[in-house]
Amino acid sequence: MTLLGLVAAFATILFFGAGIAVVLLTRTKSVSLFETLCLSWPLGVGGISFSLWLFGNCVSGVLLQGLVTGLAVASGVAGWVAFRRAGARLTIPRPETWIECILLSLVVAQVASIVYAGSKHTLGWDGMLVWEIKARFAFLMHGVLPASYFSGEGRAFSHPDYPLAIPFTQLWLYLWIGEANQFWAKAIFPVFYGAGAGLLGLLGSRLTGQRWIGYTVASGLYFVPQVSVMTGSVMVGYADFPLAVFYLATVGYLLSSLTRAPGSSFSIFATCLAFLPWIKKEGSILWLVAVLAAAAVILIRRQPLRLLLALLPGLGLMTIWRIFLWSVKVTPTVDFLPLSGATLRSNLLRIPSIARVVLTEATTVSNWGIFWLVAVAAGLYLLWRWRDLPCSLLAGTIFVPIFLYSFTYIFSAWHLYLDHVSSSISRLLMQMVPVAFLGVGVALAECTSKRSRTGPLFADPAAIVPVDHGRGSPR
């Protein structure tokens, strides 16, 4: 029964996400099976978890589970109907050269390794006492977190004001298997790794016009210790890598909307953007960065201002969540002081020390290898191409969040504020790793392009063939 329940839980998540993905992708008249699968997991996680929380305010137990299952089925059916009405075709991309076959096989082996290692690893501190604890509590209360959880001072250590995407995805598994089981709670994270690696390969291939570059950066993800094996890695049940996957999709599809028919790409960007604040509190900062990037695209390219409406769902989600937390009188997390000019002025002397700790972390080989050295070099090259909007946007979406994250420690409420930086900066940096790898791939393509001024990101959008929508590679 546990196995059947687990299959049902994963199937409904994927069905929910696949329906959303296909509805968006049918605008191109060609739907890649691989792209649909990669998008199905993050979109399904966002849809299932938000639905559980939203409807959990009205119903509970079997009725709640049945209602959300019905939504998942309805989403999948809507995707199928949209696919049929659009007359779209389903395509299955295949590697065409022996190098692509080797690189793709390496990525598959890496995902299998993460799955195996994840089954042997226990949840970390945050995995148990910030995320899984919410899933367990809600399961014991028939799928609903009671108001007493949010307002109880004795549970402040579990950060009750954090969004619920990860714990309510774990709750969904618990509801289907009929027990709160931490072993199965871990199962969602290797899937996030697989989806993230797949999206990185797909978007890297699409933006550079070279599949081997996409596969290369996707395989490089595994060799960053902080992602694969260290504390806070994908195996220990923290929310940082899932947030990194959503941010990768958000940035990648925004850039993709600049280099091909923008219909589906911008819609997927807007959908992933809306879920960023729902994954973790830092998602609000990433949402702001992505919104500024999208606004720059719309204004500089003189696109219709109505596209700015796509930015509203995320704002609405954050507003609804804040209203809910206010209504249940949540016990706030006191890690940061209120933002004020007085606090800023009094703590400006912290800046050199904070910068030193961040730099030390980024150059710690045991955590990152040489990744950040390569990423910074790629970022500087992209900034050198500052006149080209896509390169500037990509560099900005990598480094602006790092600056903002570091800046927030000026307002740290910890007496030993450097301990605050040291204990959390590695996880914040990890949120940037997939997007930074995308920047490495684009910089590599730009450097190796035979055209002195017209690299892959500057080609005529109508001339670019999406490499994942068929067997042919762009030449």
Side-chain angles (χ1 to χ4, degrees):
M1 289 298 293
T2 296
L3 183 59
L4 288 176
L6 197 67
V7 170
F10 275 94
T12 46
I13 292 173
L14 291 172
F15 211 61
F16 202 129
I20 299 173
V22 171
V23 167
L24 300 176
L25 290 170
T26 48
R27 298 187 181 187
T28 62
K29 303 298 182 182
S30 179
V31 178
S32 165
L33 178 61
F34 178 69
E35 185 172 13
T36 301
L37 288 175
C38 289
L39 286 170
S40 294
W41 181 252
L43 294 180
V45 163
I48 288 285
S49 61
F50 186 75
S51 299
L52 272 176
W53 170 71
L54 187 64
F55 292 107
N57 291 294
C58 305
V59 297
S60 62
V62 176
L63 183 58
L64 174 62
Q65 185 178 356
L67 181 59
V68 176
T69 300
L71 283 176
V73 173
S75 175
V77 171
W80 173 252
V81 171
F83 180 82
R84 298 285 293 181
R85 287 183 175 177
R89 62 188 181 91
L90 186 67
T91 61
I92 304 176
R94 299 179 179 87
E96 293 193 332
T97 67
W98 65 271
I99 293 178
E100 291 177 2
C101 289
I102 291 174
L103 290 172
L104 182 58
S105 299
L106 178 60
V107 174
V108 172
Q110 290 170 346
V111 174
S113 173
I114 291 291
V115 172
Y116 175 77
S119 68
K120 302 297 182 181
H121 207 289
T122 60
L123 290 174
W125 176 272
D126 281 11
M128 288 189 294
L129 298 178
V130 174
W131 306 112
E132 195 274 341
I133 190 175
K134 295 179 175 66
R136 182 174 296 267
F137 202 153
F139 174 77
L140 295 175
M141 300 302 292
H142 309 291
V144 179
L145 273 176
S148 60
Y149 166 76
F150 295 94
S151 58
E153 293 185 2
R155 287 178 286 274
F157 69 91
S158 66
H159 296 275
D161 55 338
Y162 276 20
L164 299 173
I166 297 304
F168 270 36
T169 303
Q170 295 171 328
L171 168 64
W172 187 242
L173 269 60
Y174 290 173
L175 291 174
W176 276 101
I177 66 178
E179 64 173 328
N181 189 312
Q182 288 184 356
F183 179 82
W184 294 119
K186 299 181 299 181
I188 68 173
F189 298 99
V191 185
F192 266 111
Y193 181 87
L199 284 172
L200 182 55
L202 184 151
L203 292 168
S205 300
R206 179 172 296 166
L207 294 178
T208 64
Q210 301 291 333
R211 278 182 176 167
W212 71 268
I213 293 180
Y215 293 159
T216 297
V217 293
S219 65
L221 198 62
Y222 184 82
F223 298 106
V224 179
Q226 187 61 47
V227 171
S228 56
V229 297
M230 299 298 292
T231 300
S233 69
V234 70
M235 296 186 296
V236 298
Y238 287 28
D240 300 282
F241 190 80
L243 179 58
V245 173
F246 275 90
Y247 189 57
L248 168 68
T250 302
V251 173
Y253 279 100
L254 176 62
L255 294 175
S256 184
S257 71
L258 301 177
T259 57
R260 59 192 291 257
S264 63
S265 293
F266 194 86
S267 298
I268 296 171
F269 152 76
T271 305
C272 295
L273 174 72
F275 283 125
L276 279 175
W278 182 239
I279 310 304
K280 200 180 178 188
K281 288 182 74 173
E282 294 92 285
S284 299
I285 295 178
L286 300 182
W287 177 87
L288 176 61
V289 173
V291 162
L292 293 176
V297 168
I298 293 170
L299 296 176
I300 294 175
R301 291 291 179 90
R302 297 182 179 179
Q303 295 180 352
L305 292 180
R306 67 175 181 274
L307 292 178
L308 290 172
L309 295 176
L311 312 179
L312 295 180
L315 183 61
L317 189 151
M318 286 187 287
T319 302
I320 292 172
W321 179 243
R322 296 307 304 176
I323 292 174
F324 170 79
L325 293 178
W326 172 80
S327 69
V328 296
K329 298 179 174 59
V330 68
T331 301
T333 304
V334 190
D335 284 331
F336 292 95
L337 301 169
L339 297 178
S340 68
T343 303
L344 176 61
R345 288 190 297 271
S346 64
N347 291 343
L348 280 177
L349 293 178
R350 292 182 175 186
I351 292 177
S353 299
I354 293 172
R356 185 170 60 252
V357 174
V358 173
L359 182 60
T360 300
E361 171 61 34
T363 54
T364 301
V365 175
S366 60
N367 288 352
W368 304 99
I370 62 170
F371 168 73
W372 282 112
L373 177 63
V374 175
V376 168
L380 291 175
Y381 179 80
L382 294 175
L383 288 174
W384 181 65
R385 300 289 295 268
W386 66 272
R387 293 174 183 269
D388 302 302
L389 180 62
C391 283
S392 299
L393 288 178
L394 183 52
T397 53
I398 296 169
F399 295 113
V400 171
I402 295 175
F403 169 79
L404 293 177
Y405 285 160
S406 302
F407 182 79
T408 58
Y409 290 112
I410 294 176
F411 300 91
S412 174
W414 291 29
H415 177 66
L416 300 176
Y417 67 93
L418 292 181
D419 288 347
H420 191 184
V421 182
S422 300
S423 65
S424 57
I425 191 62
S426 61
R427 285 173 284 151
L428 298 179
L429 289 175
M430 189 173 70
Q431 297 169 12
M432 297 298 106
V433 169
V435 172
F437 262 120
L438 193 62
V440 171
V442 169
L444 178 62
E446 294 288 339
C447 288
T448 58
S449 175
K450 294 181 180 180
R451 293 169 292 181
S452 61
R453 181 65 183 86
T454 312
L457 278 176
F458 310 98
D460 179 4
I464 292 182
V465 180
V467 298
D468 61 312
H469 279 178
R471 299 188 60 178
S473 298
R475 302 298 181 192

